[in-house]
Amino acid sequence: HIPVILISGKYEIDQQIEALEAGAELYINKPFNTKYLRISVQQIIERKEKLKNYLSSPISSYEKTEGKFTHTEHKKFMQSILNIVNNNITNKDLSTQFIADQLGIGARSLYRKMQEVSDESLANIIKECRLHLAADLLVRTKMTIDEVVYKSGFSNKVTFFKAFHNKYNCTPKEYRTQNTMIFDENKN
């Protein structure tokens, strides 16, 4: 954490690059101007202080994604939920209660946390993940529609067809036909 400034009589660029790669903040050749050295040291110290202040401030715990600020703890929370959903996507018991149990918190606490973190409900997140998997399986495999329904975690074909049509505006068979051609073209 201590800034290193090298002052040397060597002018070879390879040695200067080597010094910077080794961690030096600045490489100054002799003879040097003392005012230049003083201002350089002052700038390095100010930059370190600004970085230290930023990292200890609350704003550093937010990230800007898709035009919105997101708290890094919220992002970690959502990632853990998505990991649970993806690892248990074919589990028919995948539900809010299942996720709450996996996280070691109560279902009510999970609902409150979700309202704080996202506009999406857990049921909708689970459904979207399942539909995404189903669409991927339709294009990338030769599974039957029934197998895709099962592999994507839907317990009911009627629910699957309705949700799939609402999302993609076509039947799974039509989706497969339209997108398999595109997938095959991109593959070649």
Side-chain angles (χ1 to χ4, degrees), residues 90-108:
T90 59
N91 185 345
K92 304 283 189 243
D93 297 326
L94 181 60
S95 63
T96 302
Q97 186 61 54
F98 180 87
I99 294 170
D101 292 343
Q102 293 290 309
L103 292 172
I105 60 176
R108 282 192 146 184

Side-chain angles (χ1 to χ4, degrees), residues 116-161:
E116 194 179 303
V117 171
S118 174
D119 297 333
E120 293 284 327
S121 71
L122 274 174
N124 198 43
I125 290 170
I126 293 168
K127 181 181 76 174
E128 288 297 315
C129 287
R130 286 181 168 163
L131 287 171
H132 180 75
L133 175 62
D136 189 53
L137 290 173
L138 285 168
V139 174
R140 296 182 187 272
T141 69
K142 300 286 184 199
M143 290 181 184
T144 65
I145 304 292
D146 288 342
E147 289 171 325
V148 169
V149 170
Y150 171 75
K151 280 285 191 188
S152 58
F154 283 90
S155 57
N156 177 320
K157 281 182 14 177
V158 174
T159 305
F160 169 75
F161 277 94

Side-chain angles (χ1 to χ4, degrees), residues 10-108:
K10 298 181 180 181
Y11 287 90
E12 291 80 26
I13 192 71
D14 292 338
Q15 290 172 329
Q16 293 176 24
I17 290 171
E18 186 179 339
L20 293 174
E21 285 177 341
E25 295 276 333
L26 187 61
Y27 189 100
I28 299 176
N29 293 319
K30 286 183 182 178
F32 61 90
N33 182 305
T34 55
K35 186 175 180 182
Y36 176 77
L37 177 62
R38 190 176 25 250
I39 291 172
S40 297
V41 169
Q42 187 177 7
Q43 290 291 322
I44 289 171
I45 291 171
E46 284 178 12
R47 199 171 328 121
K48 294 256 183 208
E49 192 62 31
K50 284 179 185 176
L51 183 60
K52 183 178 142 191
N53 289 338
Y54 171 77
L55 291 174
S56 64
S57 74
I59 193 72
S60 70
S61 37
Y62 287 88
E63 292 179 3
K64 190 171 184 180
T65 48
E66 296 176 12
K68 293 191 289 187
F69 282 104
T70 307
H71 196 282
T72 51
E73 289 302 314
H74 292 172
K75 190 174 178 180
K76 286 180 192 174
F77 177 73
M78 283 303 296
Q79 191 58 50
S80 63
I81 287 175
L82 291 173
N83 288 340
I84 292 168
V85 170
N86 287 328
N87 292 335
N88 297 283
I89 198 85
T90 59
N91 185 345
K92 304 283 189 243
D93 297 326
L94 181 60
S95 63
T96 302
Q97 186 61 54
F98 180 87
I99 294 170
D101 292 343
Q102 293 290 309
L103 292 172
I105 60 176
R108 282 192 146 184

